Short mmCIF file of all heavy atoms in Angstrom, two decimals:
data_model
loop_
_atom_site.label_atom_id
_atom_site.label_comp_id
_atom_site.label_asym_id
_atom_site.label_seq_id
_atom_site.Cartn_x
_atom_site.Cartn_y
_atom_site.Cartn_z
N MET A 1 -8.56 2.36 -14.30
CA MET A 1 -7.63 2.22 -13.19
C MET A 1 -7.76 0.81 -12.60
O MET A 1 -8.85 0.34 -12.32
CB MET A 1 -7.96 3.24 -12.09
CG MET A 1 -7.64 4.68 -12.50
SD MET A 1 -5.87 4.97 -12.44
CE MET A 1 -5.85 6.74 -12.76
N SER A 2 -6.66 0.17 -12.40
CA SER A 2 -6.70 -1.16 -11.80
C SER A 2 -6.68 -1.03 -10.28
O SER A 2 -6.13 -0.08 -9.74
CB SER A 2 -5.51 -1.98 -12.27
OG SER A 2 -4.31 -1.33 -11.96
N PRO A 3 -7.29 -1.99 -9.60
CA PRO A 3 -7.26 -1.94 -8.14
C PRO A 3 -5.83 -2.05 -7.63
O PRO A 3 -5.00 -2.70 -8.25
CB PRO A 3 -8.07 -3.16 -7.71
CG PRO A 3 -8.73 -3.67 -8.93
CD PRO A 3 -7.95 -3.17 -10.10
N THR A 4 -5.59 -1.38 -6.52
CA THR A 4 -4.28 -1.46 -5.91
C THR A 4 -4.26 -2.63 -4.94
O THR A 4 -5.10 -2.71 -4.06
CB THR A 4 -3.97 -0.15 -5.16
OG1 THR A 4 -4.10 0.94 -6.08
CG2 THR A 4 -2.58 -0.17 -4.59
N LYS A 5 -3.32 -3.53 -5.15
CA LYS A 5 -3.26 -4.71 -4.29
C LYS A 5 -1.96 -4.75 -3.51
O LYS A 5 -0.90 -4.44 -4.04
CB LYS A 5 -3.38 -5.99 -5.13
CG LYS A 5 -4.79 -6.27 -5.60
CD LYS A 5 -4.92 -7.73 -6.03
CE LYS A 5 -6.37 -8.08 -6.31
NZ LYS A 5 -6.56 -9.51 -6.53
N ILE A 6 -2.09 -5.13 -2.26
CA ILE A 6 -0.90 -5.33 -1.43
C ILE A 6 -1.04 -6.67 -0.72
O ILE A 6 -2.11 -7.25 -0.67
CB ILE A 6 -0.74 -4.21 -0.37
CG1 ILE A 6 -1.96 -4.15 0.55
CG2 ILE A 6 -0.49 -2.86 -1.04
CD1 ILE A 6 -1.75 -3.26 1.76
N THR A 7 0.06 -7.14 -0.19
CA THR A 7 0.04 -8.36 0.61
C THR A 7 0.16 -7.97 2.07
O THR A 7 1.08 -7.26 2.46
CB THR A 7 1.20 -9.29 0.22
OG1 THR A 7 1.08 -9.61 -1.16
CG2 THR A 7 1.17 -10.56 1.04
N CYS A 8 -0.79 -8.43 2.86
CA CYS A 8 -0.77 -8.12 4.29
C CYS A 8 0.48 -8.73 4.94
O CYS A 8 0.76 -9.91 4.76
CB CYS A 8 -2.03 -8.67 4.96
SG CYS A 8 -2.03 -8.46 6.75
N PRO A 9 1.24 -7.92 5.70
CA PRO A 9 2.46 -8.45 6.34
C PRO A 9 2.18 -9.31 7.56
O PRO A 9 3.10 -9.88 8.14
CB PRO A 9 3.21 -7.16 6.74
CG PRO A 9 2.14 -6.15 6.90
CD PRO A 9 1.07 -6.49 5.92
N TYR A 10 0.92 -9.39 7.97
CA TYR A 10 0.56 -10.23 9.12
C TYR A 10 0.02 -11.58 8.67
O TYR A 10 0.49 -12.62 9.09
CB TYR A 10 -0.50 -9.54 9.99
CG TYR A 10 -0.11 -8.19 10.49
CD1 TYR A 10 -0.60 -7.04 9.90
CD2 TYR A 10 0.74 -8.06 11.59
CE1 TYR A 10 -0.26 -5.77 10.37
CE2 TYR A 10 1.09 -6.81 12.08
CZ TYR A 10 0.58 -5.68 11.46
OH TYR A 10 0.92 -4.44 11.92
N CYS A 11 -1.00 -11.54 7.80
CA CYS A 11 -1.69 -12.80 7.45
C CYS A 11 -1.39 -13.23 6.02
O CYS A 11 -1.84 -14.28 5.58
CB CYS A 11 -3.20 -12.65 7.65
SG CYS A 11 -3.99 -11.44 6.56
N TRP A 12 -0.64 -12.42 5.29
CA TRP A 12 -0.17 -12.76 3.94
C TRP A 12 -1.30 -12.94 2.92
O TRP A 12 -1.12 -13.55 1.88
CB TRP A 12 0.74 -13.99 3.96
CG TRP A 12 1.89 -13.77 4.86
CD1 TRP A 12 2.07 -14.31 6.11
CD2 TRP A 12 3.03 -12.92 4.64
NE1 TRP A 12 3.24 -13.83 6.65
CE2 TRP A 12 3.85 -13.00 5.79
CE3 TRP A 12 3.42 -12.10 3.58
CZ2 TRP A 12 5.04 -12.27 5.90
CZ3 TRP A 12 4.60 -11.39 3.69
CH2 TRP A 12 5.40 -11.49 4.84
N GLN A 13 -2.45 -12.38 3.23
CA GLN A 13 -3.52 -12.37 2.25
C GLN A 13 -3.31 -11.20 1.31
O GLN A 13 -2.81 -10.15 1.70
CB GLN A 13 -4.88 -12.23 2.95
CG GLN A 13 -5.24 -13.39 3.84
CD GLN A 13 -5.43 -14.68 3.06
OE1 GLN A 13 -6.20 -14.71 2.12
NE2 GLN A 13 -4.71 -15.72 3.45
N SER A 14 -3.72 -11.39 0.07
CA SER A 14 -3.69 -10.29 -0.89
C SER A 14 -4.96 -9.48 -0.72
O SER A 14 -6.06 -10.01 -0.78
CB SER A 14 -3.61 -10.87 -2.31
OG SER A 14 -3.58 -9.81 -3.24
N ILE A 15 -4.80 -8.20 -0.44
CA ILE A 15 -5.98 -7.36 -0.22
C ILE A 15 -5.93 -6.15 -1.14
O ILE A 15 -4.86 -5.73 -1.59
CB ILE A 15 -6.07 -6.89 1.26
CG1 ILE A 15 -4.84 -6.07 1.63
CG2 ILE A 15 -6.26 -8.07 2.18
CD1 ILE A 15 -4.98 -5.40 2.98
N GLU A 16 -7.12 -5.64 -1.44
CA GLU A 16 -7.22 -4.45 -2.27
C GLU A 16 -7.35 -3.23 -1.38
O GLU A 16 -8.04 -3.24 -0.38
CB GLU A 16 -8.44 -4.55 -3.18
CG GLU A 16 -8.26 -5.54 -4.30
CD GLU A 16 -9.45 -5.55 -5.25
OE1 GLU A 16 -10.29 -4.64 -5.15
OE2 GLU A 16 -9.53 -6.46 -6.07
N ILE A 17 -6.65 -2.19 -1.78
CA ILE A 17 -6.78 -0.93 -1.05
C ILE A 17 -7.19 0.15 -2.04
O ILE A 17 -7.14 -0.04 -3.26
CB ILE A 17 -5.47 -0.53 -0.34
CG1 ILE A 17 -4.33 -0.36 -1.37
CG2 ILE A 17 -5.09 -1.58 0.69
CD1 ILE A 17 -3.06 0.21 -0.76
N GLU A 18 -7.61 1.27 -1.50
CA GLU A 18 -8.00 2.38 -2.35
C GLU A 18 -6.82 2.87 -3.19
O GLU A 18 -5.68 2.79 -2.76
CB GLU A 18 -8.48 3.55 -1.48
CG GLU A 18 -9.88 3.37 -0.94
CD GLU A 18 -10.31 4.60 -0.14
OE1 GLU A 18 -9.94 5.72 -0.55
OE2 GLU A 18 -10.98 4.43 0.86
N GLU A 19 -7.17 3.36 -4.34
CA GLU A 19 -6.15 3.97 -5.19
C GLU A 19 -5.43 5.06 -4.38
O GLU A 19 -6.07 5.85 -3.71
CB GLU A 19 -6.83 4.60 -6.41
CG GLU A 19 -5.88 5.10 -7.45
CD GLU A 19 -5.60 4.02 -8.49
OE1 GLU A 19 -6.44 3.14 -8.70
OE2 GLU A 19 -4.51 4.09 -9.09
N ILE A 20 -4.12 5.05 -4.45
CA ILE A 20 -3.36 6.04 -3.69
C ILE A 20 -3.12 7.27 -4.55
O ILE A 20 -2.60 7.17 -5.66
CB ILE A 20 -2.03 5.45 -3.21
CG1 ILE A 20 -2.28 4.22 -2.34
CG2 ILE A 20 -1.21 6.49 -2.47
CD1 ILE A 20 -1.02 3.45 -1.98
N ALA A 21 -3.54 8.40 -4.04
CA ALA A 21 -3.38 9.65 -4.79
C ALA A 21 -1.91 10.07 -4.79
O ALA A 21 -1.24 10.04 -3.75
CB ALA A 21 -4.23 10.74 -4.17
N ARG A 22 -1.45 10.44 -5.96
CA ARG A 22 -0.05 10.85 -6.08
C ARG A 22 0.09 12.32 -5.72
O ARG A 22 0.20 13.20 -6.58
CB ARG A 22 0.44 10.59 -7.50
CG ARG A 22 1.94 10.84 -7.66
CD ARG A 22 2.39 10.51 -9.06
NE ARG A 22 3.83 10.71 -9.20
CZ ARG A 22 4.52 10.38 -10.28
NH1 ARG A 22 3.92 9.85 -11.31
NH2 ARG A 22 5.82 10.59 -10.34
N THR A 23 0.11 12.57 -4.42
CA THR A 23 0.25 13.95 -3.97
C THR A 23 1.72 14.37 -3.96
O THR A 23 2.04 15.55 -3.94
CB THR A 23 -0.35 14.12 -2.56
OG1 THR A 23 0.18 13.11 -1.71
CG2 THR A 23 -1.86 13.98 -2.61
N SER A 24 2.60 13.38 -3.93
CA SER A 24 4.02 13.61 -4.13
C SER A 24 4.60 12.30 -4.63
O SER A 24 3.85 11.34 -4.84
CB SER A 24 4.70 14.05 -2.82
OG SER A 24 4.78 12.97 -1.92
N ASP A 25 5.90 12.24 -4.84
CA ASP A 25 6.47 11.00 -5.36
C ASP A 25 6.64 9.93 -4.29
O ASP A 25 7.00 8.80 -4.57
CB ASP A 25 7.84 11.28 -6.01
CG ASP A 25 7.68 11.96 -7.36
OD1 ASP A 25 6.55 11.98 -7.88
OD2 ASP A 25 8.67 12.49 -7.87
N PHE A 26 6.35 10.31 -3.06
CA PHE A 26 6.44 9.36 -1.96
C PHE A 26 5.26 9.58 -1.04
O PHE A 26 5.13 10.66 -0.45
CB PHE A 26 7.76 9.54 -1.21
CG PHE A 26 7.91 8.60 -0.04
CD1 PHE A 26 8.33 7.30 -0.23
CD2 PHE A 26 7.64 9.03 1.26
CE1 PHE A 26 8.46 6.42 0.85
CE2 PHE A 26 7.77 8.17 2.33
CZ PHE A 26 8.19 6.87 2.12
N VAL A 27 4.38 8.60 -0.95
CA VAL A 27 3.18 8.73 -0.13
C VAL A 27 3.14 7.57 0.86
O VAL A 27 3.36 6.42 0.51
CB VAL A 27 1.90 8.72 -1.00
CG1 VAL A 27 0.65 8.75 -0.11
CG2 VAL A 27 1.89 9.91 -1.96
N GLU A 28 2.88 7.90 2.11
CA GLU A 28 2.80 6.89 3.15
C GLU A 28 1.43 6.97 3.81
O GLU A 28 0.93 8.05 4.07
CB GLU A 28 3.90 7.15 4.18
CG GLU A 28 4.05 6.07 5.22
CD GLU A 28 5.23 6.35 6.13
OE1 GLU A 28 5.07 7.13 7.09
OE2 GLU A 28 6.31 5.82 5.87
N LEU A 29 0.82 5.82 4.03
CA LEU A 29 -0.47 5.82 4.71
C LEU A 29 -0.60 4.54 5.51
O LEU A 29 0.17 3.59 5.33
CB LEU A 29 -1.61 5.95 3.69
CG LEU A 29 -1.71 4.89 2.59
CD1 LEU A 29 -2.58 3.72 3.02
CD2 LEU A 29 -2.28 5.51 1.32
N VAL A 30 -1.58 4.53 6.40
CA VAL A 30 -1.85 3.34 7.20
C VAL A 30 -3.28 2.91 6.90
O VAL A 30 -4.21 3.72 6.91
CB VAL A 30 -1.68 3.63 8.71
CG1 VAL A 30 -2.08 2.41 9.53
CG2 VAL A 30 -0.25 4.02 9.01
N THR A 31 -3.43 1.63 6.60
CA THR A 31 -4.75 1.09 6.32
C THR A 31 -4.93 -0.20 7.11
O THR A 31 -3.94 -0.88 7.42
CB THR A 31 -4.92 0.84 4.80
OG1 THR A 31 -6.26 0.47 4.52
CG2 THR A 31 -3.99 -0.26 4.31
N ASP A 32 -6.16 -0.52 7.45
CA ASP A 32 -6.41 -1.76 8.18
C ASP A 32 -6.61 -2.91 7.20
O ASP A 32 -7.32 -2.78 6.21
CB ASP A 32 -7.66 -1.63 9.06
CG ASP A 32 -7.41 -0.73 10.27
OD1 ASP A 32 -6.24 -0.51 10.60
OD2 ASP A 32 -8.40 -0.26 10.86
N CYS A 33 -5.99 -4.04 7.50
CA CYS A 33 -6.20 -5.24 6.70
C CYS A 33 -7.66 -5.66 6.81
O CYS A 33 -8.21 -5.74 7.91
CB CYS A 33 -5.29 -6.36 7.18
SG CYS A 33 -5.60 -7.93 6.36
N GLU A 34 -8.28 -5.93 5.67
CA GLU A 34 -9.69 -6.31 5.71
C GLU A 34 -9.88 -7.75 6.17
O GLU A 34 -10.99 -8.17 6.47
CB GLU A 34 -10.36 -6.10 4.35
CG GLU A 34 -9.75 -6.94 3.25
CD GLU A 34 -10.27 -6.53 1.87
OE1 GLU A 34 -10.63 -5.37 1.68
OE2 GLU A 34 -10.29 -7.41 0.99
N VAL A 35 -8.81 -8.52 6.22
CA VAL A 35 -8.90 -9.91 6.65
C VAL A 35 -8.63 -10.03 8.15
O VAL A 35 -9.44 -10.58 8.89
CB VAL A 35 -7.91 -10.80 5.87
CG1 VAL A 35 -7.98 -12.24 6.35
CG2 VAL A 35 -8.20 -10.71 4.37
N CYS A 36 -7.51 -9.51 8.61
CA CYS A 36 -7.16 -9.66 10.03
C CYS A 36 -7.30 -8.35 10.82
O CYS A 36 -7.08 -8.34 12.02
CB CYS A 36 -5.75 -10.22 10.17
SG CYS A 36 -4.43 -9.10 9.66
N CYS A 37 -7.66 -7.27 10.13
CA CYS A 37 -7.98 -5.98 10.78
C CYS A 37 -6.80 -5.33 11.49
O CYS A 37 -6.98 -4.47 12.34
CB CYS A 37 -9.15 -6.13 11.74
SG CYS A 37 -10.66 -6.66 10.94
N ARG A 38 -5.60 -5.73 11.14
CA ARG A 38 -4.46 -5.09 11.78
C ARG A 38 -3.95 -3.95 10.89
O ARG A 38 -4.11 -3.97 9.67
CB ARG A 38 -3.36 -6.12 12.03
CG ARG A 38 -3.84 -7.20 12.99
CD ARG A 38 -2.70 -7.73 13.79
NE ARG A 38 -2.30 -9.04 13.32
CZ ARG A 38 -1.29 -9.74 13.87
NH1 ARG A 38 -0.62 -9.25 14.86
NH2 ARG A 38 -0.98 -10.91 13.40
N PRO A 39 -3.34 -2.95 11.50
CA PRO A 39 -2.91 -1.78 10.74
C PRO A 39 -1.65 -2.04 9.92
O PRO A 39 -0.64 -2.53 10.45
CB PRO A 39 -2.67 -0.71 11.81
CG PRO A 39 -2.35 -1.48 13.04
CD PRO A 39 -3.10 -2.79 12.95
N ILE A 40 -1.70 -1.71 8.66
CA ILE A 40 -0.59 -1.90 7.75
C ILE A 40 -0.09 -0.53 7.29
O ILE A 40 -0.88 0.32 6.89
CB ILE A 40 -1.03 -2.69 6.50
CG1 ILE A 40 -1.69 -4.01 6.90
CG2 ILE A 40 0.15 -2.92 5.55
CD1 ILE A 40 -2.46 -4.65 5.75
N ARG A 41 1.21 -0.34 7.36
CA ARG A 41 1.80 0.89 6.83
C ARG A 41 2.16 0.65 5.37
O ARG A 41 2.95 -0.24 5.06
CB ARG A 41 3.05 1.28 7.62
CG ARG A 41 3.72 2.53 7.09
CD ARG A 41 4.98 2.84 7.89
NE ARG A 41 4.66 3.05 9.31
CZ ARG A 41 4.25 4.23 9.80
NH1 ARG A 41 4.13 5.26 9.00
NH2 ARG A 41 3.99 4.34 11.07
N VAL A 42 1.57 1.43 4.50
CA VAL A 42 1.80 1.28 3.07
C VAL A 42 2.60 2.47 2.57
O VAL A 42 2.25 3.62 2.85
CB VAL A 42 0.47 1.20 2.29
CG1 VAL A 42 0.74 1.04 0.79
CG2 VAL A 42 -0.38 0.05 2.81
N THR A 43 3.68 2.19 1.87
CA THR A 43 4.43 3.28 1.25
C THR A 43 4.38 3.09 -0.26
O THR A 43 4.60 2.00 -0.77
CB THR A 43 5.89 3.32 1.73
OG1 THR A 43 6.49 2.05 1.53
CG2 THR A 43 5.97 3.66 3.20
N ALA A 44 4.06 4.15 -0.95
CA ALA A 44 3.99 4.15 -2.41
C ALA A 44 5.04 5.11 -2.94
O ALA A 44 5.13 6.26 -2.50
CB ALA A 44 2.61 4.57 -2.88
N THR A 45 5.86 4.60 -3.86
CA THR A 45 6.91 5.42 -4.44
C THR A 45 6.77 5.43 -5.95
O THR A 45 6.69 4.37 -6.57
CB THR A 45 8.30 4.86 -4.05
OG1 THR A 45 8.36 4.67 -2.65
CG2 THR A 45 9.40 5.83 -4.48
N TRP A 46 6.70 6.60 -6.51
CA TRP A 46 6.65 6.72 -7.97
C TRP A 46 8.02 7.09 -8.51
O TRP A 46 8.70 7.95 -7.96
CB TRP A 46 5.65 7.80 -8.39
CG TRP A 46 4.23 7.40 -8.27
CD1 TRP A 46 3.42 6.92 -9.26
CD2 TRP A 46 3.39 7.48 -7.10
NE1 TRP A 46 2.15 6.68 -8.76
CE2 TRP A 46 2.10 7.01 -7.45
CE3 TRP A 46 3.62 7.89 -5.78
CZ2 TRP A 46 1.05 6.96 -6.55
CZ3 TRP A 46 2.58 7.83 -4.86
CH2 TRP A 46 1.31 7.37 -5.25
N ILE A 47 8.39 6.41 -9.57
CA ILE A 47 9.68 6.69 -10.18
C ILE A 47 9.44 7.27 -11.57
O ILE A 47 8.72 6.69 -12.38
CB ILE A 47 10.53 5.41 -10.27
CG1 ILE A 47 10.83 4.89 -8.86
CG2 ILE A 47 11.81 5.66 -11.04
CD1 ILE A 47 11.35 3.47 -8.81
N ASP A 48 10.03 8.41 -11.81
CA ASP A 48 9.84 9.11 -13.08
C ASP A 48 8.35 9.31 -13.36
O ASP A 48 7.62 9.72 -12.49
CB ASP A 48 10.54 8.36 -14.22
CG ASP A 48 12.03 8.29 -13.99
OD1 ASP A 48 12.58 9.22 -13.38
OD2 ASP A 48 12.64 7.30 -14.40
N ASP A 49 7.89 8.95 -14.54
CA ASP A 49 6.50 9.20 -14.90
C ASP A 49 5.67 7.93 -14.89
O ASP A 49 4.63 7.86 -15.54
CB ASP A 49 6.42 9.87 -16.27
CG ASP A 49 6.92 11.30 -16.20
OD1 ASP A 49 6.73 11.93 -15.15
OD2 ASP A 49 7.51 11.77 -17.18
N ASP A 50 6.13 6.91 -14.19
CA ASP A 50 5.34 5.69 -14.10
C ASP A 50 3.97 5.97 -13.48
O ASP A 50 3.85 6.72 -12.53
CB ASP A 50 6.06 4.65 -13.24
CG ASP A 50 7.19 3.98 -13.99
OD1 ASP A 50 7.30 4.22 -15.21
OD2 ASP A 50 7.95 3.24 -13.36
N ASP A 51 2.95 5.33 -14.04
CA ASP A 51 1.62 5.48 -13.48
C ASP A 51 1.46 4.65 -12.22
O ASP A 51 0.79 5.04 -11.28
CB ASP A 51 0.55 5.05 -14.49
CG ASP A 51 0.41 6.06 -15.61
OD1 ASP A 51 0.78 7.24 -15.38
OD2 ASP A 51 -0.05 5.69 -16.69
N GLU A 52 2.07 3.47 -12.25
CA GLU A 52 1.92 2.56 -11.13
C GLU A 52 3.04 2.77 -10.12
O GLU A 52 4.22 2.68 -10.46
CB GLU A 52 1.96 1.11 -11.63
CG GLU A 52 0.83 0.76 -12.58
CD GLU A 52 -0.52 0.77 -11.89
OE1 GLU A 52 -0.58 0.38 -10.71
OE2 GLU A 52 -1.50 1.16 -12.53
N PRO A 53 2.67 3.02 -8.87
CA PRO A 53 3.71 3.18 -7.85
C PRO A 53 4.28 1.84 -7.41
O PRO A 53 3.64 0.79 -7.55
CB PRO A 53 2.96 3.85 -6.69
CG PRO A 53 1.56 3.36 -6.83
CD PRO A 53 1.32 3.20 -8.31
N SER A 54 5.49 1.91 -6.91
CA SER A 54 6.06 0.75 -6.24
C SER A 54 5.53 0.74 -4.81
O SER A 54 5.64 1.74 -4.10
CB SER A 54 7.58 0.87 -6.26
OG SER A 54 8.16 -0.04 -5.37
N LEU A 55 4.93 -0.38 -4.42
CA LEU A 55 4.27 -0.44 -3.11
C LEU A 55 5.02 -1.33 -2.14
O LEU A 55 5.53 -2.38 -2.51
CB LEU A 55 2.85 -1.00 -3.27
CG LEU A 55 1.86 -0.14 -4.05
CD1 LEU A 55 0.58 -0.93 -4.27
CD2 LEU A 55 1.57 1.15 -3.33
N GLU A 56 5.06 -0.86 -0.90
CA GLU A 56 5.60 -1.70 0.17
C GLU A 56 4.62 -1.69 1.32
O GLU A 56 4.07 -0.66 1.67
CB GLU A 56 6.95 -1.18 0.64
CG GLU A 56 8.08 -1.51 -0.31
CD GLU A 56 9.44 -1.24 0.33
OE1 GLU A 56 9.60 -1.49 1.54
OE2 GLU A 56 10.33 -0.80 -0.40
N ALA A 57 4.41 -2.86 1.90
CA ALA A 57 3.51 -2.98 3.04
C ALA A 57 4.29 -3.57 4.20
O ALA A 57 4.97 -4.58 4.06
CB ALA A 57 2.33 -3.89 2.69
N GLU A 58 4.20 -2.91 5.34
CA GLU A 58 4.91 -3.41 6.50
C GLU A 58 4.06 -3.22 7.75
O GLU A 58 3.14 -2.39 7.75
CB GLU A 58 6.26 -2.71 6.65
CG GLU A 58 6.18 -1.22 6.73
CD GLU A 58 7.56 -0.57 6.61
OE1 GLU A 58 8.43 -1.14 5.93
OE2 GLU A 58 7.75 0.49 7.21
N PRO A 59 4.36 -3.97 8.79
CA PRO A 59 3.57 -3.84 10.02
C PRO A 59 3.70 -2.43 10.60
O PRO A 59 4.79 -1.86 10.60
CB PRO A 59 4.17 -4.87 10.96
CG PRO A 59 4.91 -5.83 10.09
CD PRO A 59 5.38 -5.02 8.91
N GLU A 60 2.60 -1.89 11.06
CA GLU A 60 2.61 -0.62 11.77
C GLU A 60 2.86 -0.91 13.23
O GLU A 60 2.07 -1.57 13.88
CB GLU A 60 1.26 0.09 11.57
CG GLU A 60 0.96 1.18 12.57
CD GLU A 60 1.66 2.48 12.28
OE1 GLU A 60 2.82 2.45 11.84
OE2 GLU A 60 1.04 3.53 12.48
N SER A 61 3.99 -0.48 13.76
CA SER A 61 4.30 -0.80 15.15
C SER A 61 4.09 0.41 16.04
O SER A 61 4.17 1.52 15.58
CB SER A 61 5.74 -1.28 15.26
OG SER A 61 6.61 -0.36 14.69
ZN1 ZN B 101 -4.09 -9.30 7.36
#
């Protein structure tokens, strides 16, 4: 399994997050940026049988 990487929407650093469990085809979670410690809302969307989800990171307001 490759590490899951996202870009922080605040400081634009590339950070690694835990592998997201595919409990459904759309999973949303909030994680803290390890660089600037601000909360990031991460949405993972799986399309068909792809192993790798499409990830979006946006500020948690
Ligand atoms: Zn950050």
Side-chain angles (χ1 to χ4, degrees):
M1 290 285 187
S2 57
T4 304
K5 284 198 172 188
I6 59 169
T7 301
C8 175
Y10 303 102
C11 65
W12 303 105
Q13 296 295 307
S14 180
I15 60 171
E16 288 184 11
I17 60 173
E18 283 182 37
E19 188 91 26
I20 301 172
R22 187 178 182 173
T23 50
S24 71
D25 286 346
F26 179 81
V27 175
E28 188 175 83
L29 58 90
V30 176
T31 187
D32 288 342
C33 174
E34 62 190 28
V35 179
C36 69
C37 299
R38 297 211 255 180
I40 306 165
R41 178 181 301 275
V42 180
T43 54
T45 309
W46 285 264
I47 297 165
D48 297 329
D49 289 327
D50 283 352
D51 287 337
E52 297 293 325
S54 166
L55 294 172
E56 283 192 37
E58 56 190 31
E60 161 79 322
S61 54

